[in-house]
Amino acid sequence: MKILSKFALFSALFLSSHLVFAQDKKPEVTFAVNELAPGLYMLSGDGGPTGGNIGLSIGDDGVVMIDDSMPRFLGILQDAIKSVTKKPIDFLITTHVHGDHMGNNETFSNEGARIVAHKNLRKHLLEKGMRTAKGMEKAPKSVLPVITFSEELSFHLNGEDVQTFHVAEAHTDGDAVVHFKNANVVHTGDTFFNNLFPFIDLNSGGDVDGYIAAQERILSIVNEKTKIIPGHGPLASKKDLAKDLAVLKDCREIIARLVKRGKSEEEVVKMNPLAKYHDEYNWGFITTERMTRQVYKSMKNTAKGSHYHHDGQASNHRENHTHSH
């Protein structure tokens, strides 16, 4: 189960954002529909990759969806939605800019959904465009969020108080986390890869310290009964998130010590400092080597290695924060 899950994630991410994953035979995949609370569902790939996990809230006030997979899976996504509601999507919350989470925005927008996202996501699409099979292209108007926010935005629909809030410089610079307070369910977007090394997109404003801060904030609003929809991986609990956060902090501490000693990226990679996590957290897209490199680069980009004490804790790491894109 673990190997299949990691292979599926590897395929989905490569298809969406970075390179094309070639297969001789298209897998027979569907979306599994898991009701987490009355009218609140998690949709996730069953039998193969379908992109990021999706949230769906259905009730008398309409339908709210969180993320929407990739174009090649539009048909099976629509089938999955129709299995629980015949209503159209009213609001589509996009957690971040990657194609495996917003690949069908154009379709749902054209069908009447209002796209909601952090303001940096809209800015990214306007200034940099969007990745397609042909490369980076201008984002069509229908893909753009029409409702944006800086810090947080609340919905009061379907008997729910839904808080959508921004976590800065985490997976990207435009991440949104969605908290269904009454149902005690959180959709994290890609600020949480359950039991996997996470992807920290340095080229889109991501940062290891911001990623850790994002997980700490999420951890502060959940309890032992909270159901957590990660960006990738199976449905999670507070215990799962706390475990992965501890691993990420340890990875940062290990590499911070090497940065402080003046080790180059290649020297650090050769040392394989994260070997103890390889068997459990390594996977096709974020291998142990790539995890090492992205944490190292994140720290070097902001010269943070020298700001760490012997225990690996950051000292004023949010000050004078800049990125090399």
Side-chain angles (χ1 to χ4, degrees):
M1 291 294 290
K2 180 75 172 178
I3 293 173
L4 177 60
S5 173
K6 289 190 175 184
F7 175 80
L9 289 166
F10 163 58
S11 305
L13 282 170
F14 270 30
L15 274 165
S16 63
S17 301
H18 298 275
L19 46 91
V20 176
F21 182 85
Q23 298 183 96
D24 294 331
K25 186 177 180 181
K26 186 176 179 180
E28 293 296 327
V29 299
T30 59
F31 277 92
V33 180
N34 182 9
E35 188 169 22
L36 307 182
L40 184 57
Y41 302 85
M42 171 179 169
L43 279 59
S44 55
D46 185 11
T50 56
N53 292 321
I54 293 170
L56 194 66
S57 171
I58 302 165
D60 293 338
D61 299 322
V63 180
V64 180
M65 185 160 69
I66 306 167
D67 292 343
D68 59 17
S69 185
M70 298 174 281
R72 68 182 299 218
F73 301 113
L74 176 61
I76 59 171
L77 173 57
Q78 291 172 324
D79 290 342
I81 294 170
K82 289 176 183 176
S83 73
V84 288
T85 184
K86 300 298 188 285
K87 296 178 180 180
I89 307 299
D90 296 291
F91 295 97
L92 173 57
I93 302 172
T94 300
T95 61
H96 63 283
V97 76
H98 293 150
D100 57 328
H101 293 257
M102 59 166 288
N104 289 309
N105 276 25
E106 185 171 13
T107 296
F108 287 108
S109 174
N110 287 335
E111 292 176 353
R114 297 168 181 85
I115 300 175
V116 182
H118 186 261
K119 65 178 185 178
N120 285 349
L121 187 150
R122 180 180 170 92
K123 179 181 178 183
H124 181 110
L125 292 174
L126 287 172
E127 295 181 355
K128 298 183 179 180
M130 61 184 290
R131 189 177 297 277
T132 70
K134 299 178 182 178
M136 295 301 293
E137 297 185 349
K138 181 180 179 180
K141 182 179 178 181
S142 55
V143 169
L144 300 174
V146 296
I147 301 172
T148 60
F149 63 97
S150 297
E151 298 302 325
E152 65 177 70
L153 178 69
S154 295
F155 292 82
H156 305 282
L157 299 170
N158 301 333
E160 267 293 342
D161 294 318
V162 186
Q163 181 191 27
T164 303
F165 61 88
H166 175 55
V167 283
E169 298 169 334
H171 174 61
T172 68
D173 66 358
D175 296 308
V177 175
V178 186
H179 183 198
F180 293 86
K181 294 184 176 181
N182 301 342
N184 198 13
V185 172
V186 177
H187 192 304
T188 68
D190 277 1
T191 62
F192 179 30
F193 285 64
N194 188 10
N195 203 217
L196 301 159
F197 282 139
F199 173 35
I200 303 172
D201 189 352
L202 306 181
N203 292 326
S204 296
D207 176 83
V208 65
D209 285 341
Y211 202 102
I212 287 171
Q215 291 197 343
E216 288 176 333
R217 181 170 179 188
I218 297 167
L219 199 62
S220 74
I221 65 170
V222 303
N223 57 41
E224 284 69 20
K225 294 183 179 180
T226 306
K227 295 176 180 178
I228 303 175
I229 303 174
H232 296 273
L235 184 69
S237 65
K238 178 181 180 179
K239 183 178 178 181
D240 296 322
L241 176 60
K243 177 186 174 217
D244 283 11
L245 174 58
V247 169
L248 185 55
K249 284 183 173 181
D250 190 42
C251 290
R252 178 181 66 177
E253 179 179 345
I254 290 168
I255 294 176
R257 289 171 175 167
L258 297 175
V259 170
K260 189 174 182 180
R261 286 167 53 189
K263 297 293 183 181
S264 71
E265 181 178 338
E266 295 306 320
E267 286 174 329
V268 171
V269 168
K270 287 180 181 179
M271 295 172 71
N272 195 16
L274 306 184
K276 64 181 177 179
Y277 295 120
H278 178 83
D279 289 347
E280 185 172 5
Y281 283 86
N282 173 80
W283 59 292
F285 187 52
I286 304 300
T287 61
T288 304
E289 178 182 336
R290 187 167 184 184
M291 180 64 179
T292 303
R293 291 185 184 277
Q294 69 180 0
V295 174
Y296 181 93
K297 288 176 180 175
S298 179
M299 303 186 74
K300 289 295 286 186
N301 281 352
T302 51
K304 285 179 291 190
S306 61
H307 295 166
Y308 276 71
H309 303 303
H310 69 279
D311 61 355
Q313 298 299 310
S315 174
N316 298 323
H317 68 261
R318 307 309 292 172
E319 292 184 6
N320 302 319
H321 193 86
T322 57
H323 286 283
S324 300
H325 288 171

